[in-house]
């Protein structure tokens, strides 16, 4: 069998409903007609992105597009694609699909199709209108075998409605079929609506279970699927047309039964059985019974498949809703962080994350938790700087009834609430000395008492702490316990400042622009090159948090379909752009006038910055920021 050819299914945008085969080494997407896929959409760049085949892999590359290429909601510059990935280009949404790739509805057993058409011998074709058990039973003359078959159908119907999950249902169904029909192997093949290619295949062997490969006749299954008829074939090895069929001879197949699975006149699958025992001969009663079983099981199988699809879609939507908790960035520093998370998440070690405010320390904590064995348990975040010492103690450890004024009931602390999960202690450097001692006991003994209580409570949590302080320096100054520091610093990670990974600024800006554009019901075509130059040149002392606030402000206050320099905060524009990069004449003139005003004021104040700030009507801190942003330190130093 040839490898399945990947495709792009267009689920939104001007090309919605189309399927684009990836049958070449390179496929380009953009607004220009010269692209492999031309999208007439103003939000798509002329040359937006390209998908290249590289040694069996498919990698998407953004071509410096105006508003980025998104994969699963995250802007990327380069990303290897996996089946099911969603690619957003402007207002278009593509899904990368590898037919037959294992997924929720993927095959649990390898089912192969015979190249030869296994027909011959004695063959019976049963049409829907001739299926006895699918008609009015009152008109049938009962026989002992019919009574037995009806009892079997009753048992199977009860078994079918009591099983949840597609694969479990298929296994139960074939087990029940083997009890009443003397087949050796069976398979349940399901296909998507309007498509004759099977998207799900489950095979089973009476003796050995799901391990061996189950082979089925492509000719028979195609006939059942296309014509909606049930097929019985016996004496296959004796048929002249099959005398030279190697697979039949080797496996000694004597008979085949195949019936359709149909819901609301739509045939979406096949139940297929075969037998090798020369003493076994399928008869018309077996065909009638299996047809009835197919009629009973069809709706249950379709519902189970639909339920699994809905669960998969729900997981996708949940991931999309929680996307703001994911990290965005492809710089070498961020790749190191992803590798760190991959290594430490499966372990249970305490982790200390440090770095400047706004660098994403809590996002790392979330990622470690969600990739650990504790992911189904609570993730509890506590800001140690947000509450006074007495309130924080009660928040952490809980309290007993009557422990202090106002404690009218017993309360569990957040440590206790997080049992089995992960506790994230943000701003751990702000913890008061008394609480540091209690936290040390939690780390050493994994136990604590509630405030006002005497009962020792055992604890099973993973601890992740974060700080923007230098804890080693705090230990030297006596403000942080040395033993607690060493207990926390088992595994540590420094989050880089945004200015240390400038290559991620553009991706983050695109991500936030898309996020707040959607939230504000604004259609944005992207960020202008001049505005991007300003974003890339600014140092971002508030890091990712400051960048997010700046983009949200630009989306809310902007009036055009692009984010322009005038939409950005003043402090971003004050920073001089690199030589050869022009923002616009207006902002250049404003920047030069600010420089000259500051130079004149400092000269008039004889180098006294506080006096210069008074002359300008500014706070001294703001004046110092202006001097730093406008790169005036060297000029003023030479002037003094």
């Amino acid at each position: 069998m040839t490898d399945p050819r990947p495709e792009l299914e267009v689920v939104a945008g001007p090309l919605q409903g189309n399927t684009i085969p990836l049958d070449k080494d390179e496929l380009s997407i953009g607004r220009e007609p010269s692209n492999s896929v031309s999208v007439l959409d103003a939000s798509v760049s002329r040359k937006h992105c390209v998908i290249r085949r590289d040694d069996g892999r498919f990698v998407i590359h953004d071509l410096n597009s105006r508003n980025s290429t998104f994969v699963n909601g995250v802007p990327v510059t380069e990303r290897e694609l996996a089946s099911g990935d969603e690619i957003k280009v402007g207002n278009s949404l593509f899904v990368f699909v590898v037919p037959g790739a294992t997924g929720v509805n993927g095959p649990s057993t390898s089912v192969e199709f015979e190249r030869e058409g296994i027909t011959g011998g004695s063959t019976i074709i049963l049409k829907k209108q001739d299926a006895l058990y699918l008609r009015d039973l009152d008109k049938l003359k009962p026989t002992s075998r019919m009574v037995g078959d009806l009892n079997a159908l009753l048992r199977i119907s009860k078994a079918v409605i009591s099983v949840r999950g597609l694969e479990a249902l298929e296994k139960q169904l074939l087990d029940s079929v083997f009890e009443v029909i003397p087949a050796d192997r069976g398979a349940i093949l399901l296909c998507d609506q309007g498509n004759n290619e099977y998207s799900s295949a489950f095979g089973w062997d009476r003796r050995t279970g799901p391990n061996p490969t189950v082979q089925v006749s492509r000719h028979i299954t195609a006939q059942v699927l296309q014509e909606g008829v049930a097929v019985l074939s016996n004496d296959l090895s004796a048929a002249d047309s099959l005398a030279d069929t190697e697979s039949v001879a080797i496996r000694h197949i004597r008979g085949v039964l195949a019936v359709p699975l149909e819901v609301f006149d739509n045939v979406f699958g096949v139940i297929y059985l075969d037998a090798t025992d020369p003493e076994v001969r399928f008869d018309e009663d077996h065909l009638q019974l299996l047809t009835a079983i197919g009629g009973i099981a069809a709706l249950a199988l379709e519902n189970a498949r639909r339920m699994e699809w809905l669960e998969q879609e729900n997981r996708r939507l949940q991931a999309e809703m929680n996307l703001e908790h994911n990290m965005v960035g492809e710089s070498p520093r961020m790749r190191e962080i992803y590798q760190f998370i991959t290594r430490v998440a499966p372990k249970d070690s305490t982790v200390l994350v440090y770095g400047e405010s706004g660098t994403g320390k809590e996002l790392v904590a979330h990622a470690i938790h969600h990739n650990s064995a504790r992911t189904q348990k609570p993730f509890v975040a506590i800001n140690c700087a947000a509450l006074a010492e007495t309130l924080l103690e009660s928040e952490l450890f809980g309290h007993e009834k009557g422990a202090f004024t106002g404690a009218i009931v017993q309360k569990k602390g957040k440590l206790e609430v997080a049992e089995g999960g992960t506790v994230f202690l943000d701003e751990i450097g702000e913890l008061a000395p008394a609480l540091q001692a209690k936290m040390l006991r939690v780390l050493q003994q994994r136990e604590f008492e509630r405030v006002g209580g005497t009962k020792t409570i055992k604890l099973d949590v993973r601890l992740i702490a974060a700080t923007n302080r230098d804890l080693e320096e705090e230990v030297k100054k006596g403000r942080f316990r040395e033993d607690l520091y060493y207990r926390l610093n088992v595994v540590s990670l420094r989050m880089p400042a945004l200015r240390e990974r400038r290559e991620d600024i553009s991706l983050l800006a695109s991500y936030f622009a898309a996020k707040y554009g959607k939230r504000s019901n604004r259609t944005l075509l992207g960020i202008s090159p001049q505005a991007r130059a300003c974003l890339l040149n600014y140092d971002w002392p508030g890091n990712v948090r400051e960048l997010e606030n700046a983009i949200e402000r630009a989306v809310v206050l902007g009036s055009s379909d692009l984010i322009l320099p005038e939409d950005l905060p003043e402090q971003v524009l004050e920073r001089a752009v690199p030589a050869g990069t022009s923002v616009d004449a207006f902002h250049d003139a404003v920047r030069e006038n600010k420089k000259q005003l500051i130079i004149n004021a400092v000269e008039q104040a004889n180098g006294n910055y506080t006096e210069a700030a008074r002359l300008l009507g500014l706070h001294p801190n703001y004046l110092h920021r202006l001097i730093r942003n406008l790169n005036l330190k060297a000029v003023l130093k030479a002037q003094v």
Side-chain angles (χ1 to χ4, degrees), residues 323-625:
L323 197 58
E324 61 191 80
H325 298 302
N326 290 346
M327 289 171 285
V328 175
E330 298 178 358
S331 63
R333 296 299 299 275
M334 288 305 295
R335 293 186 189 278
E336 290 174 7
I337 290 169
Y338 301 147
Q339 291 171 4
F340 174 88
I341 293 169
T342 301
R343 291 196 303 270
V344 305
K347 312 297 189 298
D348 239 1
S349 303
T350 301
V351 180
L352 176 62
V353 186
Y354 59 98
E356 296 179 13
S357 179
T359 51
K361 297 185 287 295
E362 186 167 352
L363 298 185
V364 169
H366 271 287
I368 291 173
H369 172 72
H370 288 306
N371 288 281
S372 72
R374 298 177 181 267
T375 183
Q376 300 301 322
K377 298 294 184 178
F379 176 91
V380 178
I382 304 166
N383 190 327
C384 300
L387 298 172
E389 179 181 345
T390 52
L391 292 176
L392 181 59
E393 183 178 14
S394 175
E395 191 76 6
L396 279 169
F397 303 105
H399 61 253
E400 299 289 350
K401 180 179 178 180
F404 50 82
T405 304
I408 57 175
V409 294
Q410 183 193 76
K411 176 191 172 185
K412 289 184 178 182
K414 287 194 171 182
L415 289 175
E416 198 171 347
V417 169
E419 175 66 20
T422 302
V423 173
F424 174 62
L425 294 176
D426 198 9
E427 305 296 350
I428 190 72
E430 307 292 334
L431 208 59
L435 291 181
Q436 290 179 29
K438 287 196 170 188
M439 191 54 64
L440 178 63
R441 183 188 175 196
V442 169
L443 286 169
Q444 288 179 329
Q445 308 296 332
R446 300 291 169 172
E447 61 185 30
F448 67 96
E449 289 97 30
R450 298 192 189 103
V451 176
T454 56
K455 178 185 175 183
T456 298
I457 299 171
K458 293 292 184 180
L459 190 65
D460 174 25
V461 296
R462 182 183 196 166
L463 196 94
I464 303 174
T467 181
N468 58 10
R469 292 190 177 191
D470 184 344
L471 289 188
E472 204 165 344
E473 189 63 29
E474 294 293 299
V475 169
K476 292 178 182 177
K477 293 178 179 178
R479 292 198 287 257
F480 199 84
R481 291 182 64 114
E482 184 176 20
D483 45 6
L484 177 57
Y485 170 66
Y486 290 126
R487 280 286 178 181
L488 290 170
N489 196 32
V490 177
V491 181
S492 63
L493 171 69
R494 187 183 79 83
M495 291 298 292
L498 190 53
R499 60 185 173 275
E500 297 175 24
R501 53 181 186 108
R502 291 186 182 274
E503 54 266 64
D504 290 331
I505 291 175
S506 188
L507 289 177
L508 285 160
S510 294
Y511 171 69
F512 293 134
K515 172 183 174 181
Y516 289 108
K518 185 177 181 181
R519 187 173 293 182
S520 304
N521 291 322
R522 276 198 62 195
T523 301
L524 285 173
L525 300 183
I527 303 171
S528 71
Q530 295 86 354
R532 284 193 188 273
C534 294
L535 295 173
L536 289 168
N537 194 56
Y538 184 57
D539 275 344
W540 302 106
N543 294 294
V544 180
R545 188 180 293 123
E546 184 184 6
L547 173 61
E548 181 174 6
N549 293 340
I551 297 298
E552 182 180 8
R553 174 188 186 276
V555 171
V556 171
L557 298 181
S559 55
S560 70
D561 53 8
L562 285 174
I563 292 179
L564 303 173
E566 54 262 35
D567 301 325
L568 300 174
E570 195 69 22
Q571 64 267 25
V572 177
L573 298 177
E574 287 164 358
R575 181 79 180 195
V577 296
T581 305
S582 175
V583 176
D584 54 55
F586 172 76
H587 289 99
D588 284 341
V590 169
R591 189 182 298 107
E592 291 305 317
N593 281 332
K594 284 183 179 181
K595 286 183 177 180
Q596 197 56 51
L597 283 170
I598 292 170
I599 290 171
N600 292 341
V602 172
E603 182 179 5
Q604 187 178 343
N606 296 319
N608 187 319
Y609 287 1
T610 303
E611 177 62 19
R614 189 189 66 78
L615 292 172
L616 291 168
L618 303 175
H619 191 283
N621 290 344
Y622 182 46
L623 176 60
H624 281 287
R625 196 194 75 188

Side-chain angles (χ1 to χ4, degrees), residues 7-255:
E7 302 169 334
L8 288 181
E9 293 183 0
V10 191
V11 297
L15 303 176
Q16 182 176 354
N18 285 288
T19 298
I20 303 163
L22 292 170
D23 50 4
K24 297 180 181 178
D25 290 336
E26 182 172 301
L27 180 139
S28 60
I29 303 174
R31 200 170 69 248
E32 285 186 350
S34 59
N35 290 284
S36 310
V37 179
S38 178
V39 184
L40 297 178
D41 179 357
S43 62
V44 175
S45 298
R46 289 192 296 271
K47 299 281 188 182
H48 201 103
C49 63
V50 63
I51 299 175
R52 295 191 179 102
R53 189 203 307 264
D54 180 14
D55 194 24
R57 304 177 307 136
F58 285 84
V59 181
I60 189 166
H61 304 264
D62 182 71
L63 301 177
N64 294 318
S65 62
R66 186 167 55 193
N67 57 358
S68 294
T69 301
F70 289 72
V71 176
N72 299 327
V74 177
V76 300
T77 54
E78 179 181 315
R79 177 71 60 85
E80 181 179 350
L81 296 173
S83 186
D85 279 350
E86 295 182 351
I87 304 165
K88 187 174 184 295
V89 177
N91 294 315
S92 295
L93 186 64
F94 303 84
V95 178
F96 177 75
V97 177
V98 180
T102 302
V104 170
N105 292 330
S108 59
T109 303
S110 176
V111 176
E112 296 181 355
F113 290 93
E114 298 285 6
R115 295 179 181 177
E116 304 87 359
I118 303 179
T119 56
S122 58
T123 299
I124 299 175
I125 304 296
L126 180 66
K127 296 181 180 179
K128 181 179 178 181
Q129 60 267 28
D130 297 325
L132 297 177
Y133 299 126
L134 300 181
R135 300 188 313 191
D136 190 352
L137 294 177
D138 293 337
K139 298 179 180 179
L140 297 178
K141 184 178 180 180
T143 64
S144 58
R145 181 160 180 179
M146 183 183 296
V147 171
D149 287 349
L150 290 174
N151 285 330
L153 288 175
L154 180 61
R155 290 196 307 273
I156 290 173
S157 63
K158 288 181 178 179
V160 163
I161 63 174
S162 65
V163 177
R164 226 187 130 186
L166 180 60
E167 188 168 316
L169 177 59
E170 290 170 326
K171 178 183 179 300
Q172 177 64 54
L173 185 58
L174 288 179
D175 273 346
S176 300
V177 166
F178 287 157
E179 290 179 5
V180 293
I181 297 178
D184 295 312
R185 280 173 299 276
I188 296 176
L189 313 172
L190 307 178
C191 61
D192 295 326
Q193 187 172 2
N195 187 348
N196 289 336
E197 291 298 320
Y198 294 106
S199 60
S200 170
F202 182 88
W204 197 262
D205 188 289
R206 178 191 290 272
R207 294 179 296 274
T208 57
N211 294 324
T213 298
V214 175
Q215 292 178 310
V216 302
S217 164
R218 183 180 294 277
H219 175 80
I220 290 178
T221 55
Q223 182 180 10
V224 172
L225 194 65
Q226 292 167 12
E227 300 177 18
V229 297
V231 177
L232 179 157
S233 288
N234 276 320
D235 304 324
L236 296 179
S237 59
D240 293 339
S241 61
L242 295 171
D244 297 326
T245 301
E246 183 180 358
S247 60
V248 170
I250 292 175
R251 296 189 292 114
H252 307 291
I253 295 176
R254 302 290 177 173

Side-chain angles (χ1 to χ4, degrees), residues 621-638:
N621 290 344
Y622 182 46
L623 176 60
H624 281 287
R625 196 194 75 188
L626 284 171
I627 292 170
R628 182 174 64 252
N629 286 346
L630 296 170
N631 289 332
L632 287 176
K633 284 186 178 180
V635 176
L636 295 176
K637 187 175 181 180

